[in-house]
Amino acid sequence: GDVASALSATASGSNALVWYDENQIEITAGAPSPSTATVTSLTYYVAQETSTGCEGPKSTITVTVSDLPSKPSATTAIEYCKGDVASALSATASGSHTLVWYDTDGTTELTSGAPTPSTASVGSTDYYVAQKNNTTGCEGPQETITVTVNALPVAPNATTTLDYCEGATASALVATPLANHTLVWYDTDGTTVLSSAPTPSTSSVVTTQYYVAQKKTSTGCEGPQVTITVTVVATP
């Protein structure tokens, strides 16, 4: 598939070149341009001729068209949530081949290696990778890796301030998720995930904060937390 140039040779003095194809049939049009459409090895011939028509021995020019590597193996669809810490893309080259990474335009080679996608904004971005045969220098077709950055859900709807009298019977905290979202409850440290909505203790006079977020089922992306402040007031 490469674009081949016409073969070349240098005649001495005022001699003229005489070109022959692989069957040693003279090519009257001049130096041939080899075809690279198929994987093959072709032999061309060239001699030089004096002004009196005397032709010398032929030189042999062997043109080898090497096969292209296949696409490298790669996960072609990767998803992140906005703001996630992304990893460098990866692909697996076959045999002794090496990977060649390209930027999102598909033409700019990334000499530093596999890129690490940005998750700063929501959207889909395509990156490209091919593999090169180190022996022949031939590079195969590109594999496309699509990186999708999904939006974060908004915070769930909840009553953010609750008051209890000391010793009162408290109910489990409540929040309302959007459709196709689930709630994620956190303990008072804001990091420990609870199996369900907590029920505040009213055994002592104290102000306690709990946290709840919602996660979109289809993407697994979790949005910001809502703080629910529970105050237990002393009984007169």
Side-chain angles (χ1 to χ4, degrees):
D2 277 351
V3 177
S5 301
L7 301 182
S8 64
T10 303
S12 58
S14 60
N15 295 335
L17 295 174
V18 184
W19 289 94
Y20 295 89
D21 67 12
E22 63 271 21
N23 298 313
Q24 300 201 40
I25 298 173
E26 184 177 347
I27 302 171
T28 58
S33 294
S35 169
T36 62
T38 58
V39 176
T40 187
S41 182
L42 295 175
T43 301
Y44 294 87
Y45 305 88
V46 61
Q48 56 181 341
E49 185 179 61
T50 67
S51 59
T52 60
C54 295
E55 183 177 316
K58 299 181 179 75
S59 289
T60 302
I61 300 177
T62 300
V63 178
T64 301
V65 181
S66 301
D67 197 8
L68 296 180
S70 59
K71 292 181 179 181
S73 175
T75 301
T76 57
I78 298 172
E79 292 193 28
Y80 286 103
C81 300
K82 184 180 180 183
D84 278 352
V85 177
S87 301
L89 300 181
S90 63
T92 303
S94 58
S96 60
H97 296 359
T98 55
L99 295 174
V100 184
W101 288 95
Y102 291 89
D103 205 356
T104 56
D105 58 7
T107 57
T108 303
E109 184 176 341
L110 301 175
T111 57
S112 58
T116 299
S118 169
T119 61
S121 58
V122 174
S124 292
T125 306
D126 289 336
Y127 295 87
Y128 305 89
V129 60
Q131 58 180 343
K132 179 184 288 186
N133 186 319
N134 292 327
T135 303
T136 64
C138 293
E139 183 178 320
Q142 294 176 343
E143 182 64 272
T144 303
I145 300 177
T146 301
V147 178
T148 301
V149 179
N150 295 304
L152 300 181
V154 296
N157 186 27
T159 300
T160 57
T161 303
L162 295 173
D163 291 335
Y164 284 103
C165 294
E166 184 180 7
T169 301
S171 301
L173 300 181
V174 176
T176 305
L178 296 172
N180 302 315
H181 291 62
T182 56
L183 294 174
V184 183
W185 289 96
Y186 291 88
D187 207 352
T188 55
D189 58 6
T191 58
T192 302
V193 178
L194 302 174
S195 59
S196 59
T199 299
S201 170
T202 62
S203 61
S204 59
V205 176
V206 67
T207 296
T208 307
Q209 292 180 326
Y210 296 89
Y211 306 88
V212 61
Q214 60 180 341
K215 179 184 290 186
K216 190 171 183 179
T217 306
S218 59
T219 64
C221 293
E222 182 178 319
Q225 295 176 342
V226 168
T227 303
I228 300 177
T229 301
V230 179
T231 303
V232 179
V233 181
T235 302

